[in-house]
Amino acid sequence: MSAAAVAMDAAAALPWRRFLCRVCGIVYDEALGDPDGGLAPGTRFEAIPDDWACPVCGVGKAEFEPIGDAQPAVAAALASAPSVTGLPPSRQPGVVIVGAGRAGWQVVQALREAGWAGPLSLVTACPGDVYDKPQLSVAVARGLDPQALVREPAAVAAARWRVQLITDAVAVAIDPLARRLRTTRGTLRWQHLVLAHGAQPALPACLPPGRVWRVNDLPAYQKMRAALAGAPQRLAIVGAGLVGCELANDLALAGHAVSLLDQAARPLATQVAAEVSQRLLDAWQTQGLPICFEGGVAVAGVEPGPPAAAARWQLRLADGRVLAVDQVIAATGLRAPDRLARSAGLAFDAAAGGIVINPATAATSVAGIHALGDCVVEQGRASRFIAPITRQAAAIAAAITGRPLPLAAPADAESLLRIKTSAMPITVRLPAAA
């Protein structure tokens, strides 16, 4: 047996140590390692790379302190076995994708189909299951159980596409020079980085997050549907755009009484003409759906109902009125987060709300970083719809694999937006990009 092997066996026989993060209190156990952060079980503290980050709060190993009684003896023994304390071999960097929604999985598929055989990692703050987000606002009308909306579990999709899936991990910052992505579960090296982290609900101050539902992903929708199970409830939906109208239509079909509120005078005010809005209101009334639309109203706040009241919430309007409701749903639009983009120095269009990309390649302003989906802006306009994602994913796959870029859509091309209100489905022609 070689001297290195003897030293390794001797080190493995030493007691495992534990180290406490001074910032968040998590404990690093040498016996367990941090597999998601690239540290196999049995990785000694001395062998942790300097760029490793705490899987919870993101600080470096310097912020960890030893706990327990075995520290001096183990440290002395390891010092005599340098072959054991060297850094573990670096994993080969490949493509790292942030976000496991439709856009993230679409890039995975496009890359593999384009011939990318290298490492592929998918970082997501959610479970990462594959589902169709547009189904969330029409599940009742289509007879879909919330638990059945998952088309493919994340683990199955990851195995099928040969992806390292890192769930429950929040991307914290990007170092474009070192090509490293820092997450709450460790730091990843990348050759190509793709941002597909979507957008977040844009909540006004009058709608506190803990008092309203926001239907922007499957876990949130499943929780909302669970809260609505049983007897019909009184709902207030704030925002009568596409999502607000689809939800109002869908939840009214389940028997819930819906108050649909908007500052605009009519529903879908920015998407359709006034006569189309009126036809939708007439269709709801003709079909007996319990939807009461109020336009030209502003919400002032949401407060818990009095202890003896039957309603859970009191929705205060700017005109002084109070609506007693059981649940409040916010459909007040989306806003792309800018933290990751700012950390990498990416061009970010604050007015349109997204990362600026090249429409032909989906490349950002920083080499090696691409972006697509709800978090991007093309030619000064955010397009938070499904249609552009396939085109953007194909462009990214072609750029990364060196294949010819897909043909771009004509400059004057129009795309269709389908508003899935079953009482009166609506198709809108979106104008071409400027």
Side-chain angles (χ1 to χ4, degrees):
M1 182 179 293
S2 68
V6 172
M8 186 174 297
D9 286 345
L14 295 169
W16 298 114
R17 296 170 299 169
R18 302 166 77 230
F19 295 78
L20 175 72
C21 176
R22 302 187 188 97
V23 177
C24 69
I26 192 175
V27 172
Y28 174 77
D29 190 323
E30 291 180 329
L32 302 178
D34 176 23
D36 290 315
L39 306 181
T43 300
R44 293 294 186 179
F45 188 77
E46 290 81 0
I48 296 176
D50 290 336
D51 66 349
W52 177 80
C54 172
V56 173
C57 66
V59 300
K61 62 182 286 189
E63 296 299 327
F64 281 72
E65 61 184 21
I67 54 177
D69 301 326
Q71 301 297 331
V74 174
L78 290 175
S80 64
S83 61
V84 178
T85 59
L87 298 181
S90 298
R91 290 171 295 170
Q92 179 186 0
V95 178
V96 175
I97 303 168
V98 179
R102 156 88 66 143
W105 283 113
Q106 192 80 48
V107 173
V108 167
Q109 179 177 344
L111 281 167
R112 289 306 189 207
E113 291 180 346
W116 175 260
L120 193 52
S121 300
L122 192 61
V123 178
T124 173
C126 66
D129 295 326
V130 181
Y131 66 96
D132 291 320
K133 186 175 176 180
Q135 299 278 19
L136 301 184
S137 56
V138 295
V140 173
R142 300 187 178 181
L144 301 173
D145 183 271
Q147 304 302 321
L149 289 171
V150 174
R151 291 196 292 109
E152 187 174 23
V156 175
R160 181 162 63 92
W161 294 112
R162 307 187 312 281
V163 172
Q164 178 193 21
L165 182 65
I166 306 172
T167 62
D168 303 313
V170 178
V172 177
I174 299 167
D175 183 343
L177 296 179
R179 297 208 166 191
R180 298 183 187 276
L181 173 72
R182 180 177 162 190
T183 81
T184 52
R185 299 192 67 179
T187 298
L188 294 173
R189 300 166 62 237
W190 49 268
Q191 181 183 356
H192 303 278
L193 179 65
V194 180
L195 301 181
H197 51 68
Q200 301 169 342
L203 283 182
C206 61
L207 297 176
R211 299 180 180 182
V212 302
W213 293 103
R214 293 155 288 168
V215 183
N216 193 45
D217 55 54
L218 181 57
Y221 177 78
Q222 290 174 330
K223 291 178 182 178
M224 184 190 74
R225 282 288 297 274
L228 296 177
Q233 299 184 33
R234 293 166 294 177
L235 312 180
I237 299 179
V238 182
L242 182 149
V243 173
C245 286
E246 288 185 348
L247 281 172
N249 188 111
D250 209 48
L251 296 176
L253 287 172
H256 302 292
V258 179
S259 294
L260 181 60
L261 312 174
D262 202 292
Q263 295 187 40
R266 56 188 178 85
L268 300 172
T270 62
Q271 286 97 4
V272 302
E275 57 268 23
V276 180
S277 295
Q278 187 57 53
R279 279 165 39 208
L280 176 61
L281 292 173
D282 293 343
W284 284 339
Q285 184 175 15
T286 300
Q287 297 183 28
L289 293 182
I291 301 174
C292 175
F293 172 73
E294 285 200 57
V297 298
V299 174
V302 182
E303 299 168 353
R312 182 182 181 190
W313 302 108
Q314 289 187 325
L315 189 69
R316 292 188 296 105
L317 304 182
D319 60 12
R321 289 181 296 148
V322 175
L323 299 182
V325 296
D326 301 305
Q327 309 286 347
V328 180
I329 301 171
T332 48
L334 298 174
R335 176 179 57 227
D338 65 354
R339 175 172 46 83
L340 273 183
R342 302 295 187 195
S343 72
L346 304 182
F348 191 91
D349 188 328
I355 300 167
V356 177
I357 64 170
N358 181 323
T361 62
T364 69
S365 59
V366 173
I369 303 178
H370 291 78
L372 77 163
D374 287 357
C375 66
V376 306
V377 168
E378 291 182 316
Q379 297 177 318
R381 189 176 70 187
S383 182
R384 298 191 173 112
F385 307 115
I386 295 298
I389 291 176
T390 300
R391 169 179 55 81
Q392 293 164 349
I396 291 172
I400 288 176
T401 59
R403 293 180 173 234
L405 291 173
L407 293 177
D412 59 349
E414 294 180 331
S415 56
L416 300 179
L417 170 64
R418 291 179 172 84
I419 302 172
K420 300 174 292 297
T421 43
S422 63
M424 191 190 85
I426 302 169
T427 298
V428 179
R429 293 188 178 277
L430 298 173

